[in-house]
Amino acid sequence: MLQSLLSNLNYGTIFFLMLLESTVVPVPSELVVAPAAYHAAAGHTDIWLVWLAATLGAGVGASVNYVAALYLGRPLIYRFASSRWGKACLLSPEKVERSERYFDDHGVVATLTGRLIPGIRHLISIPAGLARMHYWKFLFYTLVGAGVWHAILAALGWYLHMAVPEEQLATEIERYSEYIKIVIVALVAVAAIYFGVKYTMKRR
């Protein structure tokens, strides 16, 4: 089913796949948004609508996680992560715990920066729900973070349309995605250190 959707990308499938990616279903956003932007560069779709569909889908999917965590609570969330279904979704209690620690360390802004970090991106909405973060603030930060990430992927896909033939697209996306992830993690780390130092100096 997933491969069929990936081979027939349109605004509806982009929205749906990014909705899944923002829940617990392991759908790689790099292999959805970047190829969609690649085809948009060829004139098949509109690049802005690709970005909008992906970002709105991420917002809806993240909201599903948020509501589930809010009403189910920590014990059931961790039980699901330990279950056979959770493992099928590549979940584990350790991954949920890591996302909780990231949220605790960075506060509500974690829902923005967490959307840019591999391994945390699709789980950061869970600790937001567990912490009962205000929903509209959560949604705002989620949409901003998802919008930035999808803009990066869309730019990558647009660039690759000028650089490589379609049969090499998946390989090049994976190669460039690794560089992008390293840069983003480094930038988030620098920003966290900067604001941490600034906050400490302000308190003093």
Side-chain angles (χ1 to χ4, degrees), residues 20-193:
L20 292 181
E21 191 257 354
S22 288
T23 56
V24 294
V25 181
V27 177
S29 54
E30 297 91 335
L31 297 180
V32 176
V33 180
Y38 185 97
H39 293 143
H44 301 310
T45 51
D46 184 280
I47 187 66
W48 294 107
L49 292 180
V50 166
W51 173 84
L52 181 63
T55 303
L56 291 179
V60 174
S63 295
V64 171
N65 272 7
Y66 173 92
V67 171
L70 180 67
Y71 289 103
L72 294 179
R74 185 172 283 102
L76 285 178
I77 292 295
Y78 274 85
R79 190 179 304 170
F80 174 77
S82 304
S83 70
R84 183 175 60 184
W85 291 106
K87 291 176 182 176
C89 294
L90 305 182
L91 276 181
S92 69
E94 292 75 23
K95 288 182 179 180
V96 179
E97 184 180 357
R98 186 164 68 241
S99 69
E100 280 208 83
R101 282 201 307 270
Y102 184 85
F103 185 86
D104 292 339
D105 290 343
H106 297 85
V108 295
V109 181
T111 54
L112 188 159
T113 58
R115 296 293 310 184
L116 304 174
I117 300 178
I120 291 178
R121 181 181 306 119
H122 65 299
L123 296 178
I124 196 62
S125 48
I126 292 176
L130 293 175
R132 297 184 175 273
M133 179 181 175
H134 189 277
Y135 174 73
W136 294 111
K137 183 181 289 187
F138 157 79
L139 185 61
F140 172 77
Y141 282 126
T142 296
L143 291 175
V144 172
V148 170
W149 175 239
H150 294 149
I152 292 170
L153 294 180
L156 173 61
W158 192 275
Y159 163 74
L160 289 177
H161 180 263
M162 299 182 291
V164 300
E166 189 165 0
E167 56 268 20
Q168 297 177 18
L169 180 59
T171 301
E172 290 300 305
I173 287 173
E174 290 181 10
R175 184 166 72 90
Y176 278 94
S177 293
E178 291 304 314
Y179 299 143
I180 290 171
K181 288 173 185 176
I182 292 170
V183 171
I184 286 175
V185 170
L187 289 175
V188 170
V190 170
I193 293 170

